[in-house]
Amino acid sequence: MLAGGAARGAYEVGVVQYVVEEVARELGRPVPFDIICGTSVGALNACGLAAFADEGAGAIKRLLDVWASLDLEALVRPDVRGVLGMGARLLGRSGPVEVPVREGGLLDPDGLERLIGQKIPFARIPDNLRQGHLQALTVSTTHVASGRTVVFVQRHEAGLPSWSNDPTIEPRAAAILLEHAMASAAVPILFRAVKIDGEFHCDGGLRQNVPLSPARRLGADGVLVINPRYIATRALDEGTEKADDAFPGPLFLLGKTLNALLLDRIDTDLARVESINRMLAAGAAVYGHEFLPRINEALGRSPERGFRPMRTLLVRASEDIGMLAAEFVRSKEFNRTAGVTVRLMRRLAEREARSESDLLSYVLFDGRFAKQLVELGRADAKKKHVELCEFVHAMMA
């Protein structure tokens, strides 16, 4: 399960690389991923893994090449027509004839869309599903008009698996294409929403940053969750300098707003899964192996929709990627280039925060910064080497 975070998505690739290389080497066999679920930038990574699933460990090398090739000047450009369109809507106008209003954002996603369209062969996904290289792929979006999560599901089998009646989630069977991936990654305010079947969709992380529910509905017995979101454990008054007490600027606040919009409930979701696991284990210990099927029968649940234990393992960023982004933009390596976007990023780092910039970490689509995040992902996975080996061994047993 691959979570959101825009340019932070390179972190996920580092974790997966460690699993398919180092964990596989330790176990003496390849590590396949049967079900791949992604939201936001995690959807882009998920589609890449699915499109190259037939290449085994080679799939991750393909993704690494994409992230390493990111060109900030080509990918991060103002969406002038989109900004004018948003302004016109705020004023209650449809916009002047010469500047048609469209559903826009601050940044033009065309460069990123071209890159993903060139690098990820979506047409290979059905073949990989048919040949058994993976069982299912899901991409989550937010349906703009209703605010509900839409989970696009692609399997070799026709239709959808059994799905509980959750009013906040609508599953849809689909052949997942570039438009689904770009819609899932369309961070509100930053990128414009994407039309799918005549309806606008945006970032799936608004309600489902980590797609735990789709994985469970598709029959996963265990889930590896990769989350590029750092969670601080210190108290609010620890490590705070007096110089940071001034009220921050609007772009700094925009970064924090995006964090709030995309803030996931992964810890709560995982804690709920662990509670269910403990209750099921306790019931089986007291009442025997018939406890689980009998309790599901009493609840009127089929084996596909019934309670069952599910093993989980979380790998989360151990460093604040917002701080890493600010440090990188101030570095000599970054400032050797002198394009318009580079100057804008530098001013943002200098004026909006002394120690961190969450907004920068969302839009810093730079190959050199991506390499840093890949290495962070590998390092965090290495810290969980024993747990990862035990998890994968249990899933493949």
Side-chain angles (χ1 to χ4, degrees):
M1 300 196 310
L2 303 172
R8 306 178 187 199
Y11 173 86
E12 300 172 346
V13 181
V15 175
V16 176
Q17 183 188 24
Y18 187 88
V19 173
V20 300
E21 292 180 356
E22 303 304 325
V23 173
R25 183 178 294 113
E26 178 80 12
L27 297 178
R29 51 182 169 171
V31 178
F33 294 101
D34 301 318
I35 299 169
I36 306 175
C37 303
T39 294
S40 194
V41 74
L44 302 181
N45 286 332
C47 290
L49 290 173
F52 296 111
D54 58 316
E55 299 185 14
I60 200 64
K61 291 183 171 59
R62 298 270 196 168
L63 283 181
L64 287 169
D65 289 341
V66 175
W67 282 97
S69 68
L70 296 183
D71 182 342
L72 188 65
E73 292 288 344
L75 298 179
V76 181
R77 295 182 176 181
D79 187 349
V80 177
R81 291 174 62 192
V83 172
L84 291 175
M86 287 193 294
R89 287 189 180 280
L90 286 173
L91 295 174
R93 299 167 55 189
S94 60
V97 175
E98 65 273 15
V99 186
V101 172
R102 64 179 180 179
E103 305 306 320
L106 298 178
L107 301 178
D108 188 343
D110 289 347
L112 182 61
E113 184 172 345
R114 283 193 298 270
L115 177 67
I116 299 302
Q118 292 167 2
K119 296 291 187 179
I120 298 180
F122 288 84
R124 293 181 61 179
I125 295 174
D127 291 336
N128 287 332
L129 287 164
R130 185 168 52 253
Q131 295 168 15
H133 296 298
L134 75 158
Q135 294 179 15
L137 167 70
T138 76
V139 166
S140 300
T141 69
T142 299
H143 185 259
V144 173
S146 66
R148 297 171 66 183
T149 295
V150 176
V151 180
F152 293 98
V153 181
Q154 186 168 4
R155 307 187 299 162
H156 173 45
E157 303 88 348
L160 293 166
S162 298
W163 211 285
S164 61
N165 185 23
D166 185 339
T168 68
I169 298 176
E170 180 179 317
R172 296 184 185 178
I176 294 175
L177 302 171
L178 175 62
E179 62 191 24
H180 300 93
M182 293 303 298
S184 184
V187 179
I189 303 173
L190 294 184
F191 297 113
R192 62 176 177 257
V194 177
K195 257 189 177 181
I196 300 175
D197 298 328
E199 302 170 319
F200 282 108
H201 294 253
C202 66
D203 197 311
L206 293 180
R207 296 186 66 96
Q208 191 186 79
N209 194 40
V210 179
L212 182 63
S213 175
R216 187 173 182 83
R217 299 290 182 265
L218 287 163
D221 295 315
V223 289
L224 172 62
V225 182
I226 305 173
N227 191 355
R229 192 179 304 286
Y230 169 78
I231 302 295
T233 55
R234 69 185 185 187
L236 291 177
D237 58 350
E238 291 181 15
T240 303
E241 299 179 7
K242 293 295 183 182
D244 288 337
D245 288 343
F247 193 78
L251 294 180
F252 180 85
L253 290 177
L254 176 57
K256 295 300 182 186
T257 300
L258 289 174
N259 276 350
L261 285 173
L262 303 176
L263 188 62
D264 60 68
R265 299 180 297 274
I266 184 59
D267 293 298
T268 302
D269 290 344
L270 290 178
R272 185 180 299 114
V273 170
E274 290 304 316
S275 295
I276 294 173
N277 286 341
R278 287 194 298 271
M279 285 190 289
L280 295 179
V286 174
Y287 299 105
H289 67 278
E290 288 296 318
F291 170 77
L292 184 55
R294 291 185 65 181
I295 198 70
N296 281 326
E297 182 182 1
L299 292 171
R301 291 174 174 261
S302 64
E304 295 81 12
R305 291 183 53 205
F307 285 107
R308 67 181 186 278
M310 186 167 71
R311 192 176 183 125
T312 62
L313 180 59
L314 170 66
V315 179
R316 191 207 299 279
S318 62
E319 296 186 39
D320 189 329
I321 295 179
M323 294 180 67
L324 295 179
E327 291 170 3
F328 176 76
V329 169
R330 297 190 187 101
S331 69
K332 292 181 180 179
E333 179 183 10
F334 180 78
N335 286 281
R336 278 200 292 264
T337 51
V340 174
T341 304
V342 168
R343 291 196 296 271
L344 176 63
M345 295 289 180
R346 186 166 60 241
R347 290 188 63 185
L348 178 60
E350 290 171 350
R351 299 182 61 180
E352 297 305 325
R354 291 176 171 81
S355 62
E356 63 175 297
S357 179
D358 292 300
L359 180 59
L360 270 180
S361 73
Y362 281 103
V363 301
L364 195 53
F365 289 101
D366 183 287
R368 297 162 297 177
F369 182 61
K371 289 180 181 178
Q372 286 189 15
L373 298 189
V374 167
E375 290 307 311
L376 176 62
R378 286 182 57 86
D380 287 345
K382 185 176 181 180
K383 293 173 185 175
K384 290 188 173 255
H385 178 82
V386 174
E387 294 171 73
L388 282 166
C389 289
E390 292 175 347
F391 175 83
V392 173
H393 177 74
M395 292 299 97
M396 297 173 66

